[in-house]
Amino acid sequence: GLSLLSLTNNSFTGTLPTDLGKMSSSVFLDLSYNLFTGTLPTELGQLTQLLDLYVKGNNFNGTLPTQLGQITNLLSLYLQENKFTGTLPPQLGMLMSLEEFNAANNAFTGTIPMDLSGLINLTSFTFYDNDLTGSVNDIFCTDARQWHTLQSDCSSIDGQAEIECDCCDVCCNANGTDCQLLRLNSTVDSK
C-alpha cells in the first residue's frame, strides 16, 4: 500500500474523504497548506501505522476526532493554522510516542487535558493563539521534563495571561502575537 502521501502546497479544496482511513500502511500523511474545509474524518484513527500527520495551514474546523488517540505510533501531529474548535480530547493522552504537537492558531477552548501529562516523549508542544485557559504547571512543569519548545499564551503583557505555565520557553499574549523568548535553549518561529 501507499506509505507516504504528501499533498502539501496545492490548492486542494473540499472535505477529506473518509477513505483516507483505508490507507492502513501509511506512515506519513501531509495535507498542509491547502484549502481543505470541514472536519477531520474519524477514520483517520484507523491509520495506526502513521508516524507523522500534518494538516497545518488549511481551513479545517469543528472538533478533533477522539479517534486520533488510536494512532499510538504517531511521532508528530501538526494541526496549526486551522479553525479547529472545542476542547483537546483527553484521548490524545494515548499517543505515547508523540514527540511534537503543534495546535497553535486555532480556536480550541477549555483547558489542556491532564491526560497529556503521560506523554513522556513529548518535547515540543506549541498551543498559543487559541482560547485555552488554566494552568499547565501540574501537567508539563515537572522536574523530569526536558522541553525543546513549550509555547503558549502565558504572557500577561496586555492583561491577564490565559495560560499559567512556569516552564514555557516562549510566552505570547492572548492573541498569539508579541511572543517573548524566556529561555535561551529554545528555538522558536514567532509571528
Side-chain angles (χ1 to χ4, degrees), residues 48-181:
T48 55
Q49 301 305 308
L50 204 59
L51 301 177
D52 299 292
L53 177 59
Y54 302 128
V55 298
K56 62 186 174 184
N58 281 286
N59 292 307
F60 289 117
N61 58 44
T63 58
L64 290 183
T66 58
Q67 291 83 352
L68 289 180
Q70 298 168 11
I71 314 173
T72 54
N73 291 319
L74 204 61
L75 301 174
S76 302
L77 179 58
Y78 284 75
L79 306 171
Q80 69 266 36
E81 300 167 42
N82 279 289
K83 297 173 182 171
F84 290 117
T85 57
T87 58
L88 291 172
Q91 290 83 352
L92 295 177
M94 299 187 304
L95 302 177
M96 297 305 290
S97 299
L98 197 63
E99 297 171 359
E100 299 178 356
F101 183 17
N102 194 324
N105 308 105
N106 279 290
F108 289 117
T109 55
T111 58
I112 300 292
M114 192 67 188
D115 304 67
L116 298 191
S117 66
L119 300 180
I120 56 172
N121 294 306
L122 191 64
T123 58
S124 179
F125 184 28
T126 304
F127 55 105
Y128 68 91
D129 196 15
N130 279 289
D131 295 315
L132 295 164
T133 57
S135 174
V136 295
N137 289 339
D138 291 344
I139 303 172
F140 297 133
C141 299
T142 62
D143 293 337
R145 296 296 272 215
Q146 293 295 318
W147 289 100
H148 174 64
T149 302
L150 186 59
Q151 184 174 357
S152 74
D153 293 331
C154 49
S155 173
S156 56
I157 255 178
D158 54 358
Q160 186 173 352
E162 289 183 327
I163 298 284
E164 182 182 328
C165 181
D166 293 343
C167 59
C168 280
D169 56 357
V170 176
C171 280
C172 303
N173 65 4
N175 61 0
T177 58
D178 203 10
C179 299
Q180 296 179 323
L181 184 65

Side-chain angles (χ1 to χ4, degrees), residues 14-24 29 31 39-47:
T15 58
L16 292 184
T18 57
D19 282 353
L20 276 178
K22 293 180 180 169
M23 300 187 331
S24 57
L29 180 58
L31 307 173
T39 58
L40 292 182
T42 59
E43 288 80 2
L44 286 178
Q46 297 168 20
L47 302 179

